[in-house]
Structures are given as C-alpha cells and as structure tokens.
Amino acid sequence: MSQKPSWRDDKRKTAERGYGGRWQKARETFLSRHPLCCFCEQKGKITAATVVDHKIPHQGDQALFWDTNNWQPLCKLCHDSTKKIMENRGVKPGADESGKPTDPNHHWNKIN
C-alpha cells in the first residue's frame, strides 16, 4: 500500500506552499489571541505557543488552510513530536495512570 507523501517532505520554499506574508500576519494575530500550547495545557503545563498548527492537514486545500477553526496553537516540541505521532499513527499519544491509552481510537481500546 503506497502512502501519499507527507507535507513534511515538501521541499518547496515556505512561501511557495502558502506560508508567505499573509500567513505570517495571520499567524501573529492568532498567536497573540492564543498564546499557550493547547497540548501542554491538556497536561497541566504552561508553555508558550510558537506554531499555528492545522488540526486537519490542509494538503494544499486553501479553504482548509485559511479556516481558523482548523487552527490550534502549539509549542514547537508538541508540533514536531506529538502532532507528528498523531498524524503518522492516527491516534493521540498518552495513557492514564494504569497505562491504558487515553485515545478511544487506540487499538488497545477496541473490543474484539
């Protein structure tokens, strides 16, 4: 089964992928209104957000790219690690005190 290449492998310049001046201005505005990483907040940590992440990868779809309801504030660490894991595996990482995955879509939480 062949997978579609990840946007992370796109070698074009950021401006060529839609991340030019208009995006930089929108990004600054969004981060000023949402200054904390939402993934860290869920863990009880306070971390400054530095990345505006697309919750659903836009894959070039301009409507999805500019839909602010599809944006979330993340710190670089969460964007480059946690979010990447979520995209690659299709589940959210994390476990409760007993070690059971917290994502209901995790295969361990499926009833056979």
Side-chain angles (χ1 to χ4, degrees):
M1 177 168 92
S2 116
Q3 276 189 319
K4 185 174 181 179
S6 169
W7 65 267
R8 295 172 192 275
D9 298 326
D10 193 333
K11 300 303 179 204
R12 292 178 296 164
K13 294 179 180 174
T14 56
E16 293 171 341
R17 292 185 286 130
Y19 296 95
R22 180 179 170 209
W23 169 256
Q24 293 305 321
K25 190 177 284 188
R27 175 191 169 279
E28 291 292 324
T29 300
F30 186 81
L31 289 176
S32 71
R33 293 180 181 154
H34 308 277
L36 300 178
C37 174
C38 62
F39 285 7
C40 286
E41 279 189 298
Q42 290 172 357
K43 299 179 216 168
K45 293 171 39 179
I46 305 297
T47 309
T50 56
V51 176
V52 176
D53 176 62
H54 292 89
K55 297 175 198 175
I56 300 168
H58 59 82
Q59 298 179 331
D61 177 335
Q62 289 299 295
L64 196 54
F65 183 94
W66 291 106
D67 180 359
T68 57
N69 292 318
N70 188 39
W71 297 358
Q72 63 186 351
L74 297 178
C75 66
K76 182 155 176 52
L77 180 63
C78 285
H79 179 262
D80 293 352
S81 61
T82 306
K83 179 64 190 273
K84 185 175 180 179
I85 291 167
M86 290 168 61
E87 288 177 355
N88 289 343
R89 295 184 188 162
V91 296
K92 295 177 185 173
D96 63 19
E97 300 79 31
S98 71
K100 181 179 177 184
T102 54
D103 187 329
N105 295 320
H106 191 282
H107 68 275
W108 287 0
N109 291 328
K110 303 281 183 186
I111 299 173
N112 292 332

